[in-house]
Amino acid sequence: MLKVLKAGFYTTIQDRGRFNYRNMGVPVSGTMDQVASTYVNQLLENDATAACLEITMTGPTLVFEEDTYICMGGAKLETTLNNVPVQLYKIYKIVAGDILSYGKLENGFRNYLAVKGGFQTEFVLGSRSFYKPLTSLNRLKDHMEIPYITTPSFESKLQELQMESLFSESVLTVSKGPEYEQLTGKQLKQLFSKEFTIAKENNRMAYQLEEFIEGHEISMLTSATLPGTVQLTSEGKIIILMRDGQTTGGYSRILQLSKKAISILAQKKYGDQISLKLIEV
Amino acid sequence: MSDFPISIKPFGSNAILIEWPKQVSTEILEDILSFTDALKAKLSSLKEWETISAYNSLTLISKEQPISFSSLEKQLKQWYLEKTNSDTSTKVLWRLPVCYDPVFGIDIAEVANHLKMSEETLIKQHTQKPYTIYGIGFLPGFMYLGGLPKSLEIARRSIPRLKVEKGAVGLAGKQTGIYPQQSPGGWNIIGNCPIPIFDIEESPPCFVKVGDQVQFYQVSMGEYDLRKIEANVGIFKLQKTILDA
């Protein structure tokens, strides 16, 4: 078991996502920064579907009760293993009783902690990703325990990875969304010439942007939305749906973030700046 | 059944959107369902795909592999032309109990007053005819229902509530529906349905599907409690009628 001494600000279990239920209104969920979570699982030679911890802004304090191997990636937080600083994208051997403590956030917003074999929390509709009320919890609680498989020894092909950080990137590549053609010249200019600021309203469901662009009066019938769908409300507010975003919506879908752009955005927090760049699909 | 002019648009690297004329109509819904059916036979590895249909659109999502838009677009147009309009899926009319007591229907008095009718008339009109499910989205198991009588159309509340109860039955614009779980929401709440629409213990977790119909019937507070207990222990028998194709 992994004992959670302190859960941190918003820590969840996430895997690649919950597929096949979107036609029943179930969001796909899964890790927000799939680039980072894929690398930490690959280093540990886990299945692509292995579940890891997604740690947001303020990290937890954790005690490992069985031997295993771990790897962290994504956001950089001051992190120590038994009071010794640890690095990202590097495998660490864990002995029963080891304590992993997260400290101050240095860069990015979401950190991923993977364990050899993946965390073994409840499996609901094909995924362990937290999404209440499908899963009983929406985030970790202090003093809870998370099961994992004991791994006394493991010879990894790679011990560590030199990763280029996505944090310095602030340009989100987008393709045209289904309602792109409805945008006016003025709206297009505002979208692609300005910098935008991440609003307070940002979470696993959606990121809102502080600056508005010109509004519109075009209504549409409710239709499918995806992670990375950029919506424009009639008042001109921009909402970017993320992994827990609803499966359908009634706001104009003006743009669609690339997969990499979703990972870049997942590492942004309130007050950070981004800009949009149009590419062909 | 006639064919419609459809348009096909890219939707990111992994999805493609097929749109029918912008109307809420059962003919379009039937056409989307029969095309979805045809695609299930055509897309050989359907395991790799998810579909979301709503009102006048069908979205195909490739779970892993990016799609090639131009070749898939051509293929889809061809398949649409070849389609035989035989929707083989069975459609069901579900009858769902709703308690309109003001304990649940917290806005019913206000709504009736606004619509200039008695609460009895409101309930009668709300339960009179089946509604068609045009889509499921927003929340797991949330049905977009069409066919609300014009006399029951009322604007959504100006200030949304932070908490609407699970099972709450609401009215907003041309729509009526059930909140399948506790959630924030701006609909006018006129009752509550004791039967969970989405349940992870069931397979499939959501018993309704797009194209099915739903008709509400009024139950007393006592019957509501009984149905709720029955649903919780899994012995509630849903009233269903298979609809002719």
Side-chain angles (χ1 to χ4, degrees):
Chain A
M1 289 286 180
L2 176 72
K3 270 185 103 155
V4 179
L5 297 186
K6 274 194 305 189
F9 167 66
Y10 199 91
T11 308
T12 63
I13 293 279
Q14 297 293 338
D15 54 22
R16 289 191 67 164
R18 182 170 284 113
F19 297 97
N20 300 326
Y21 297 95
R22 278 190 266 200
N23 60 348
M24 300 177 193
V26 180
V28 70
S29 298
T31 55
M32 293 274 278
D33 179 351
Q34 302 238 323
V35 174
S37 63
T38 301
Y39 279 125
V40 290
N41 271 326
Q42 279 178 346
L43 261 173
L44 289 169
E45 293 161 43
N46 282 341
D47 283 348
T49 55
C52 59
L53 284 190
E54 180 176 278
I55 290 152
T56 314
M57 194 170 71
T58 309
T61 306
L62 307 162
V63 184
F64 292 87
E65 295 186 316
E66 281 96 16
D67 294 0
T68 185
Y69 291 78
I70 61 166
C71 181
M72 284 155 281
K76 196 163 164 34
L77 285 84
E78 277 177 5
T79 311
T80 61
L81 181 60
N82 304 323
N83 292 318
V84 181
V86 289
Q87 295 166 33
L88 296 179
Y89 302 105
K90 184 173 175 179
I91 296 176
Y92 290 92
K93 182 176 169 60
I94 294 290
V95 188
D98 281 355
I99 299 178
L100 186 69
S101 314
Y102 280 84
K104 219 177 112 231
L105 178 72
E106 292 179 353
N107 213 340
F109 196 46
R110 291 185 168 85
N111 176 278
Y112 294 91
L113 167 64
V115 63
K116 180 68 187 156
F119 291 107
Q120 306 293 313
T121 52
E122 60 181 332
F123 193 68
V124 180
L125 304 181
S127 169
R128 300 186 202 278
S129 292
F130 277 15
Y131 179 79
K132 213 178 164 179
L134 269 63
T135 55
S136 47
L137 290 176
N138 62 348
R139 56 172 144 168
L140 296 196
K141 282 187 184 159
D142 291 350
H143 313 302
M144 70 178 286
E145 295 190 330
I146 302 169
Y148 63 92
I149 303 153
T150 310
T151 307
S153 76
F154 161 58
E155 293 287 330
S156 63
K157 292 187 191 105
L158 273 176
Q159 266 303 311
E160 59 186 295
L161 206 62
Q162 290 304 317
M163 269 286 291
E164 259 187 77
S165 163
L166 292 176
F167 311 140
S168 55
E169 296 193 34
S170 61
V171 179
L172 306 181
T173 50
V174 294
S175 58
K176 292 177 183 177
E179 280 74 53
Y180 178 88
E181 303 303 335
Q182 296 172 358
L183 292 168
T184 63
K186 186 171 177 194
Q187 287 171 324
L188 286 170
K189 195 165 170 250
Q190 289 175 320
L191 275 172
F192 297 114
S193 63
K194 285 208 296 189
E195 291 248 295
F196 290 94
T197 313
I198 307 295
K200 261 199 198 80
E201 295 78 17
N202 71 83
N203 54 39
R204 286 189 44 84
M205 288 170 74
Y207 269 58
Q208 295 189 14
L209 302 182
E210 283 205 342
E211 296 81 2
F212 282 45
I213 65 166
E214 197 171 66
H216 65 96
E217 282 176 2
I218 302 164
S219 73
M220 60 174 273
L221 287 169
T222 291
S223 183
T225 52
L226 303 170
T229 298
V230 182
Q231 297 178 316
L232 181 66
T233 71
S234 52
E235 301 89 53
K237 184 195 277 184
I238 299 168
I239 302 169
I240 308 176
L241 297 179
M242 296 298 272
R243 301 290 300 189
D244 284 352
Q246 55 191 66
T247 55
T248 56
Y251 294 130
S252 296
R253 300 156 296 181
I254 53 171
L255 302 167
Q256 180 66 34
L257 260 59
S258 69
K259 281 185 182 171
K260 190 183 169 193
I262 296 175
S263 285
I264 293 172
L265 184 60
Q267 295 296 353
K268 301 294 180 217
K269 58 187 183 302
Y270 173 49
D272 286 351
Q273 302 255 303
I274 55 116
S275 61
L276 303 166
K277 187 184 168 199
L278 190 66
I279 51 155
E280 289 292 315
V281 187
Chain B
M1 194 157 36
S2 61
D3 279 344
F4 293 90
I6 59 165
S7 77
I8 300 178
K9 293 176 180 172
F11 193 1
S13 57
N14 283 53
I16 195 162
L17 173 71
I18 311 164
E19 287 181 316
W20 277 253
K22 193 180 150 185
Q23 292 157 25
V24 178
S25 89
T26 48
E27 286 76 24
I28 287 175
L29 179 66
E30 290 295 324
D31 199 47
I32 293 176
L33 290 172
S34 86
F35 192 40
T36 310
D37 237 41
L39 288 177
K40 280 178 183 158
K42 295 286 187 188
L43 290 168
S44 49
S45 50
L46 198 74
K47 279 203 306 246
E48 309 301 316
W49 294 85
E50 286 190 79
T51 60
I52 301 175
S53 63
Y55 293 112
N56 67 327
S57 69
L58 172 63
T59 303
L60 300 178
I61 309 161
S62 165
K63 282 182 261 178
E64 300 287 342
Q65 295 303 318
I67 56 176
S68 151
F69 175 72
S70 52
S71 63
L72 185 57
E73 179 194 28
K74 223 161 71 191
Q75 188 70 83
L76 287 170
K77 281 184 172 157
Q78 186 61 34
W79 286 338
Y80 187 71
L81 287 175
E82 291 168 5
K83 177 175 69 76
T84 53
N85 286 345
S86 63
D87 176 14
T88 54
S89 64
T90 317
K91 292 189 189 63
V92 179
L93 166 64
W94 305 93
R95 296 191 74 235
L96 296 176
V98 173
C99 178
Y100 293 90
D101 190 285
V103 170
F104 299 119
I106 48 180
D107 300 325
I108 194 165
E110 199 184 317
V111 172
N113 189 37
H114 189 270
L115 297 176
K116 299 189 173 58
M117 58 175 75
S118 66
E119 289 176 28
E120 292 70 36
T121 310
L122 190 158
I123 294 165
K124 201 174 156 211
Q125 294 196 5
H126 193 247
T127 52
Q128 203 156 36
K129 280 198 296 189
Y131 300 105
T132 301
I133 305 174
Y134 282 94
I136 299 174
F138 167 55
L139 291 170
F142 183 90
M143 302 175 277
Y144 291 96
L145 297 176
L148 186 74
K150 246 197 142 35
S151 54
L152 295 185
E153 288 182 17
I154 181 169
R156 60 184 64 218
R157 301 180 67 78
S158 52
I159 302 164
R161 289 192 172 89
L162 289 173
K163 200 175 105 179
V164 175
E165 292 302 330
K166 177 179 175 178
V169 174
L171 291 175
K174 293 181 190 309
Q175 294 184 299
T176 185
I178 304 173
Y179 283 85
Q181 65 191 56
Q182 197 189 79
S183 127
W187 290 24
N188 303 281
I189 306 306
I190 57 166
N192 195 288
C193 171
I195 310 306
I197 308 298
F198 193 96
D199 183 353
I200 57 164
E201 304 297 335
E202 298 291 330
S203 180
C206 185
F207 60 85
V208 294
K209 62 182 187 307
V210 176
D212 281 357
Q213 295 187 358
V214 167
Q215 185 166 15
F216 299 119
Y217 65 95
Q218 186 183 9
V219 293
S220 65
M221 202 67 163
E223 191 176 345
Y224 174 93
D225 289 338
L226 184 65
R227 300 293 167 248
K228 186 149 196 160
I229 292 164
E230 285 176 352
N232 283 344
V233 297
I235 57 165
F236 177 75
K237 261 193 93 63
L238 275 159
Q239 292 185 34
K240 56 185 269 192
T241 313
I242 308 294
L243 298 170
D244 290 334

mmCIF file of all heavy atoms in Angstrom, chain A residues 143-177:
data_model
loop_
_atom_site.group_PDB
_atom_site.id
_atom_site.type_symbol
_atom_site.label_atom_id
_atom_site.label_comp_id
_atom_site.label_asym_id
_atom_site.label_seq_id
_atom_site.Cartn_x
_atom_site.Cartn_y
_atom_site.Cartn_z
ATOM 1 N N HIS A 143 -4.629 10.314 4.653
ATOM 2 C CA HIS A 143 -4.625 9.041 5.394
ATOM 3 C C HIS A 143 -5.209 7.858 4.621
ATOM 4 O O HIS A 143 -5.329 6.776 5.175
ATOM 5 C CB HIS A 143 -5.362 9.171 6.753
ATOM 6 C CG HIS A 143 -4.943 10.381 7.526
ATOM 7 N ND1 HIS A 143 -3.629 10.601 7.890
ATOM 8 C CD2 HIS A 143 -5.646 11.464 7.961
ATOM 9 C CE1 HIS A 143 -3.550 11.762 8.524
ATOM 10 N NE2 HIS A 143 -4.759 12.304 8.579
ATOM 11 N N MET A 144 -5.559 8.036 3.371
ATOM 12 C CA MET A 144 -6.060 6.868 2.633
ATOM 13 C C MET A 144 -4.890 6.010 2.157
ATOM 14 O O MET A 144 -3.725 6.418 2.240
ATOM 15 C CB MET A 144 -6.936 7.286 1.451
ATOM 16 C CG MET A 144 -6.201 7.938 0.307
ATOM 17 S SD MET A 144 -7.294 8.336 -1.073
ATOM 18 C CE MET A 144 -7.589 6.705 -1.777
ATOM 19 N N GLU A 145 -5.203 4.823 1.695
ATOM 20 C CA GLU A 145 -4.163 3.915 1.213
ATOM 21 C C GLU A 145 -4.458 3.518 -0.222
ATOM 22 O O GLU A 145 -5.611 3.288 -0.586
ATOM 23 C CB GLU A 145 -4.112 2.656 2.092
ATOM 24 C CG GLU A 145 -3.683 2.978 3.512
ATOM 25 C CD GLU A 145 -3.406 1.721 4.326
ATOM 26 O OE1 GLU A 145 -4.051 0.687 4.052
ATOM 27 O OE2 GLU A 145 -2.533 1.776 5.206
ATOM 28 N N ILE A 146 -3.405 3.452 -1.026
ATOM 29 C CA ILE A 146 -3.570 3.109 -2.440
ATOM 30 C C ILE A 146 -2.776 1.841 -2.735
ATOM 31 O O ILE A 146 -1.571 1.786 -2.494
ATOM 32 C CB ILE A 146 -3.061 4.272 -3.330
ATOM 33 C CG1 ILE A 146 -3.820 5.564 -2.994
ATOM 34 C CG2 ILE A 146 -3.195 3.921 -4.806
ATOM 35 C CD1 ILE A 146 -3.213 6.791 -3.632
ATOM 36 N N PRO A 147 -3.451 0.806 -3.246
ATOM 37 C CA PRO A 147 -2.746 -0.452 -3.502
ATOM 38 C C PRO A 147 -1.815 -0.409 -4.726
ATOM 39 O O PRO A 147 -2.109 0.291 -5.697
ATOM 40 C CB PRO A 147 -3.880 -1.453 -3.732
ATOM 41 C CG PRO A 147 -5.119 -0.672 -3.928
ATOM 42 C CD PRO A 147 -4.886 0.750 -3.539
ATOM 43 N N TYR A 148 -0.704 -1.122 -4.627
ATOM 44 C CA TYR A 148 0.157 -1.358 -5.788
ATOM 45 C C TYR A 148 0.844 -2.708 -5.605
ATOM 46 O O TYR A 148 0.839 -3.278 -4.522
ATOM 47 C CB TYR A 148 1.169 -0.218 -5.990
ATOM 48 C CG TYR A 148 2.172 -0.027 -4.878
ATOM 49 C CD1 TYR A 148 3.417 -0.667 -4.907
ATOM 50 C CD2 TYR A 148 1.900 0.810 -3.806
ATOM 51 C CE1 TYR A 148 4.349 -0.478 -3.904
ATOM 52 C CE2 TYR A 148 2.826 1.004 -2.791
ATOM 53 C CZ TYR A 148 4.058 0.363 -2.836
ATOM 54 O OH TYR A 148 4.962 0.543 -1.832
ATOM 55 N N ILE A 149 1.438 -3.200 -6.678
ATOM 56 C CA ILE A 149 2.057 -4.522 -6.651
ATOM 57 C C ILE A 149 3.505 -4.402 -6.170
ATOM 58 O O ILE A 149 4.211 -3.476 -6.566
ATOM 59 C CB ILE A 149 2.041 -5.134 -8.088
ATOM 60 C CG1 ILE A 149 0.608 -5.186 -8.622
ATOM 61 C CG2 ILE A 149 2.706 -6.494 -8.128
ATOM 62 C CD1 ILE A 149 0.532 -5.139 -10.137
ATOM 63 N N THR A 150 3.939 -5.314 -5.316
ATOM 64 C CA THR A 150 5.321 -5.308 -4.832
ATOM 65 C C THR A 150 6.276 -5.721 -5.952
ATOM 66 O O THR A 150 6.018 -6.702 -6.654
ATOM 67 C CB THR A 150 5.487 -6.302 -3.660
ATOM 68 O OG1 THR A 150 4.460 -6.038 -2.709
ATOM 69 C CG2 THR A 150 6.848 -6.174 -3.007
ATOM 70 N N THR A 151 7.349 -4.952 -6.130
ATOM 71 C CA THR A 151 8.378 -5.322 -7.104
ATOM 72 C C THR A 151 9.751 -5.199 -6.430
ATOM 73 O O THR A 151 10.300 -4.115 -6.330
ATOM 74 C CB THR A 151 8.332 -4.392 -8.342
ATOM 75 O OG1 THR A 151 7.006 -4.373 -8.856
ATOM 76 C CG2 THR A 151 9.299 -4.852 -9.426
ATOM 77 N N PRO A 152 10.300 -6.331 -5.946
ATOM 78 C CA PRO A 152 11.580 -6.258 -5.216
ATOM 79 C C PRO A 152 12.753 -5.929 -6.131
ATOM 80 O O PRO A 152 13.692 -5.251 -5.704
ATOM 81 C CB PRO A 152 11.734 -7.635 -4.597
ATOM 82 C CG PRO A 152 10.436 -8.345 -4.819
ATOM 83 C CD PRO A 152 9.764 -7.703 -5.971
ATOM 84 N N SER A 153 12.710 -6.420 -7.394
ATOM 85 C CA SER A 153 13.827 -6.080 -8.271
ATOM 86 C C SER A 153 13.354 -5.919 -9.704
ATOM 87 O O SER A 153 12.413 -6.589 -10.150
ATOM 88 C CB SER A 153 14.924 -7.143 -8.184
ATOM 89 O OG SER A 153 14.529 -8.285 -8.891
ATOM 90 N N PHE A 154 14.008 -5.010 -10.407
ATOM 91 C CA PHE A 154 13.598 -4.681 -11.778
ATOM 92 C C PHE A 154 14.810 -4.081 -12.493
ATOM 93 O O PHE A 154 15.408 -3.121 -12.015
ATOM 94 C CB PHE A 154 12.427 -3.705 -11.718
ATOM 95 C CG PHE A 154 12.162 -2.930 -12.988
ATOM 96 C CD1 PHE A 154 11.898 -3.580 -14.183
ATOM 97 C CD2 PHE A 154 12.158 -1.532 -12.979
ATOM 98 C CE1 PHE A 154 11.646 -2.854 -15.341
ATOM 99 C CE2 PHE A 154 11.903 -0.797 -14.126
ATOM 100 C CZ PHE A 154 11.645 -1.461 -15.311
ATOM 101 N N GLU A 155 15.193 -4.716 -13.609
ATOM 102 C CA GLU A 155 16.311 -4.204 -14.405
ATOM 103 C C GLU A 155 15.726 -3.410 -15.565
ATOM 104 O O GLU A 155 15.244 -3.984 -16.530
ATOM 105 C CB GLU A 155 17.145 -5.374 -14.960
ATOM 106 C CG GLU A 155 17.890 -6.177 -13.924
ATOM 107 C CD GLU A 155 19.086 -5.425 -13.347
ATOM 108 O OE1 GLU A 155 19.664 -4.597 -14.099
ATOM 109 O OE2 GLU A 155 19.417 -5.637 -12.165
ATOM 110 N N SER A 156 15.764 -2.107 -15.462
ATOM 111 C CA SER A 156 15.158 -1.299 -16.522
ATOM 112 C C SER A 156 16.141 -1.117 -17.669
ATOM 113 O O SER A 156 17.358 -1.124 -17.473
ATOM 114 C CB SER A 156 14.734 0.052 -15.982
ATOM 115 O OG SER A 156 15.863 0.759 -15.551
ATOM 116 N N LYS A 157 15.604 -0.978 -18.871
ATOM 117 C CA LYS A 157 16.452 -0.770 -20.058
ATOM 118 C C LYS A 157 17.122 0.586 -19.968
ATOM 119 O O LYS A 157 18.254 0.770 -20.361
ATOM 120 C CB LYS A 157 15.590 -0.858 -21.323
ATOM 121 C CG LYS A 157 15.069 -2.255 -21.573
ATOM 122 C CD LYS A 157 14.358 -2.326 -22.922
ATOM 123 C CE LYS A 157 13.600 -3.624 -23.086
ATOM 124 N NZ LYS A 157 12.138 -3.464 -22.941
ATOM 125 N N LEU A 158 16.371 1.555 -19.469
ATOM 126 C CA LEU A 158 16.887 2.922 -19.324
ATOM 127 C C LEU A 158 16.712 3.354 -17.881
ATOM 128 O O LEU A 158 15.685 3.068 -17.274
ATOM 129 C CB LEU A 158 16.077 3.879 -20.210
ATOM 130 C CG LEU A 158 16.475 4.095 -21.662
ATOM 131 C CD1 LEU A 158 15.456 5.004 -22.335
ATOM 132 C CD2 LEU A 158 17.868 4.703 -21.759
ATOM 133 N N GLN A 159 17.688 4.046 -17.355
ATOM 134 C CA GLN A 159 17.587 4.524 -15.981
ATOM 135 C C GLN A 159 16.964 5.915 -15.909
ATOM 136 O O GLN A 159 16.270 6.264 -14.977
ATOM 137 C CB GLN A 159 18.985 4.577 -15.340
ATOM 138 C CG GLN A 159 19.351 3.329 -14.570
ATOM 139 C CD GLN A 159 18.346 3.014 -13.467
ATOM 140 O OE1 GLN A 159 17.978 3.871 -12.685
ATOM 141 N NE2 GLN A 159 17.873 1.772 -13.430
ATOM 142 N N GLU A 160 17.279 6.718 -16.907
ATOM 143 C CA GLU A 160 16.709 8.063 -16.926
ATOM 144 C C GLU A 160 16.625 8.585 -18.349
ATOM 145 O O GLU A 160 17.157 7.979 -19.280
ATOM 146 C CB GLU A 160 17.503 9.024 -16.048
ATOM 147 C CG GLU A 160 18.967 9.183 -16.427
ATOM 148 C CD GLU A 160 19.688 10.046 -15.394
ATOM 149 O OE1 GLU A 160 19.345 11.240 -15.294
ATOM 150 O OE2 GLU A 160 20.586 9.516 -14.711
ATOM 151 N N LEU A 161 15.938 9.703 -18.472
ATOM 152 C CA LEU A 161 15.633 10.255 -19.777
ATOM 153 C C LEU A 161 15.906 11.748 -19.721
ATOM 154 O O LEU A 161 15.546 12.412 -18.764
ATOM 155 C CB LEU A 161 14.143 10.016 -20.020
ATOM 156 C CG LEU A 161 13.608 9.906 -21.421
ATOM 157 C CD1 LEU A 161 14.211 8.715 -22.149
ATOM 158 C CD2 LEU A 161 12.089 9.725 -21.338
ATOM 159 N N GLN A 162 16.598 12.248 -20.741
ATOM 160 C CA GLN A 162 16.747 13.703 -20.816
ATOM 161 C C GLN A 162 15.522 14.228 -21.537
ATOM 162 O O GLN A 162 15.308 13.929 -22.698
ATOM 163 C CB GLN A 162 18.026 14.067 -21.600
ATOM 164 C CG GLN A 162 19.305 13.735 -20.872
ATOM 165 C CD GLN A 162 19.374 14.386 -19.492
ATOM 166 O OE1 GLN A 162 19.021 15.548 -19.332
ATOM 167 N NE2 GLN A 162 19.818 13.624 -18.500
ATOM 168 N N MET A 163 14.705 14.952 -20.838
ATOM 169 C CA MET A 163 13.449 15.427 -21.427
ATOM 170 C C MET A 163 13.515 16.913 -21.683
ATOM 171 O O MET A 163 13.907 17.680 -20.834
ATOM 172 C CB MET A 163 12.298 15.165 -20.452
ATOM 173 C CG MET A 163 11.632 13.844 -20.649
ATOM 174 S SD MET A 163 10.594 13.834 -22.107
ATOM 175 C CE MET A 163 9.285 14.940 -21.591
ATOM 176 N N GLU A 164 13.065 17.267 -22.880
ATOM 177 C CA GLU A 164 12.914 18.695 -23.152
ATOM 178 C C GLU A 164 11.658 19.156 -22.459
ATOM 179 O O GLU A 164 10.606 18.544 -22.587
ATOM 180 C CB GLU A 164 12.761 18.908 -24.655
ATOM 181 C CG GLU A 164 14.037 19.378 -25.315
ATOM 182 C CD GLU A 164 13.764 19.725 -26.756
ATOM 183 O OE1 GLU A 164 13.193 20.794 -26.991
ATOM 184 O OE2 GLU A 164 14.111 18.902 -27.627
ATOM 185 N N SER A 165 11.765 20.216 -21.734
ATOM 186 C CA SER A 165 10.613 20.686 -20.977
ATOM 187 C C SER A 165 9.615 21.403 -21.879
ATOM 188 O O SER A 165 9.984 22.149 -22.769
ATOM 189 C CB SER A 165 11.086 21.627 -19.890
ATOM 190 O OG SER A 165 10.009 22.370 -19.418
ATOM 191 N N LEU A 166 8.335 21.134 -21.637
ATOM 192 C CA LEU A 166 7.294 21.819 -22.394
ATOM 193 C C LEU A 166 6.918 23.147 -21.731
ATOM 194 O O LEU A 166 6.171 23.934 -22.276
ATOM 195 C CB LEU A 166 6.020 20.955 -22.442
ATOM 196 C CG LEU A 166 6.028 19.660 -23.238
ATOM 197 C CD1 LEU A 166 4.701 18.934 -23.066
ATOM 198 C CD2 LEU A 166 6.258 19.930 -24.720
ATOM 199 N N PHE A 167 7.462 23.375 -20.525
ATOM 200 C CA PHE A 167 6.976 24.504 -19.738
ATOM 201 C C PHE A 167 7.261 25.853 -20.369
ATOM 202 O O PHE A 167 6.519 26.807 -20.193
ATOM 203 C CB PHE A 167 7.562 24.498 -18.329
ATOM 204 C CG PHE A 167 7.442 23.183 -17.652
ATOM 205 C CD1 PHE A 167 8.469 22.694 -16.872
ATOM 206 C CD2 PHE A 167 6.291 22.426 -17.798
ATOM 207 C CE1 PHE A 167 8.354 21.478 -16.242
ATOM 208 C CE2 PHE A 167 6.169 21.204 -17.179
ATOM 209 C CZ PHE A 167 7.209 20.728 -16.402
ATOM 210 N N SER A 168 8.394 25.934 -21.092
ATOM 211 C CA SER A 168 8.758 27.226 -21.653
ATOM 212 C C SER A 168 7.890 27.535 -22.868
ATOM 213 O O SER A 168 7.832 28.675 -23.318
ATOM 214 C CB SER A 168 10.228 27.217 -22.047
ATOM 215 O OG SER A 168 10.444 26.117 -22.913
ATOM 216 N N GLU A 169 7.207 26.514 -23.388
ATOM 217 C CA GLU A 169 6.380 26.744 -24.576
ATOM 218 C C GLU A 169 5.052 27.388 -24.192
ATOM 219 O O GLU A 169 4.411 26.983 -23.224
ATOM 220 C CB GLU A 169 6.125 25.418 -25.300
ATOM 221 C CG GLU A 169 7.401 24.818 -25.836
ATOM 222 C CD GLU A 169 7.128 23.697 -26.818
ATOM 223 O OE1 GLU A 169 6.130 23.775 -27.553
ATOM 224 O OE2 GLU A 169 7.924 22.745 -26.834
ATOM 225 N N SER A 170 4.650 28.379 -24.972
ATOM 226 C CA SER A 170 3.378 29.030 -24.666
ATOM 227 C C SER A 170 2.508 29.163 -25.912
ATOM 228 O O SER A 170 1.437 29.742 -25.871
ATOM 229 C CB SER A 170 3.619 30.395 -24.048
ATOM 230 O OG SER A 170 4.314 31.197 -24.977
ATOM 231 N N VAL A 171 3.000 28.602 -27.029
ATOM 232 C CA VAL A 171 2.212 28.653 -28.257
ATOM 233 C C VAL A 171 1.428 27.352 -28.392
ATOM 234 O O VAL A 171 2.005 26.269 -28.400
ATOM 235 C CB VAL A 171 3.124 28.851 -29.491
ATOM 236 C CG1 VAL A 171 2.274 28.873 -30.763
ATOM 237 C CG2 VAL A 171 3.938 30.120 -29.361
ATOM 238 N N LEU A 172 0.106 27.473 -28.463
ATOM 239 C CA LEU A 172 -0.742 26.283 -28.622
ATOM 240 C C LEU A 172 -1.118 26.157 -30.091
ATOM 241 O O LEU A 172 -1.764 27.042 -30.653
ATOM 242 C CB LEU A 172 -2.007 26.416 -27.779
ATOM 243 C CG LEU A 172 -1.837 26.714 -26.285
ATOM 244 C CD1 LEU A 172 -3.202 26.779 -25.599
ATOM 245 C CD2 LEU A 172 -0.963 25.661 -25.604
ATOM 246 N N THR A 173 -0.705 25.051 -30.712
ATOM 247 C CA THR A 173 -1.098 24.846 -32.105
ATOM 248 C C THR A 173 -2.535 24.325 -32.143
ATOM 249 O O THR A 173 -2.923 23.461 -31.359
ATOM 250 C CB THR A 173 -0.164 23.851 -32.814
ATOM 251 O OG1 THR A 173 -0.050 22.684 -32.011
ATOM 252 C CG2 THR A 173 1.201 24.444 -33.033
ATOM 253 N N VAL A 174 -3.317 24.902 -33.036
ATOM 254 C CA VAL A 174 -4.737 24.552 -33.148
ATOM 255 C C VAL A 174 -5.078 24.307 -34.610
ATOM 256 O O VAL A 174 -4.437 24.841 -35.516
ATOM 257 C CB VAL A 174 -5.643 25.689 -32.615
ATOM 258 C CG1 VAL A 174 -5.456 25.882 -31.117
ATOM 259 C CG2 VAL A 174 -5.391 26.993 -33.351
ATOM 260 N N SER A 175 -6.113 23.481 -34.832
ATOM 261 C CA SER A 175 -6.664 23.358 -36.176
ATOM 262 C C SER A 175 -8.071 23.960 -36.165
ATOM 263 O O SER A 175 -8.604 24.294 -35.103
ATOM 264 C CB SER A 175 -6.688 21.889 -36.603
ATOM 265 O OG SER A 175 -7.438 21.124 -35.685
ATOM 266 N N LYS A 176 -8.652 24.103 -37.352
ATOM 267 C CA LYS A 176 -9.982 24.697 -37.446
ATOM 268 C C LYS A 176 -11.020 23.799 -36.778
ATOM 269 O O LYS A 176 -11.038 22.601 -37.016
ATOM 270 C CB LYS A 176 -10.371 24.876 -38.925
ATOM 271 C CG LYS A 176 -9.541 25.923 -39.642
ATOM 272 C CD LYS A 176 -9.910 26.002 -41.115
ATOM 273 C CE LYS A 176 -9.000 27.005 -41.824
ATOM 274 N NZ LYS A 176 -9.276 27.058 -43.279
ATOM 275 N N GLY A 177 -11.874 24.388 -35.972
ATOM 276 C CA GLY A 177 -12.970 23.636 -35.366
ATOM 277 C C GLY A 177 -14.168 23.643 -36.292
ATOM 278 O O GLY A 177 -14.186 24.368 -37.296
#
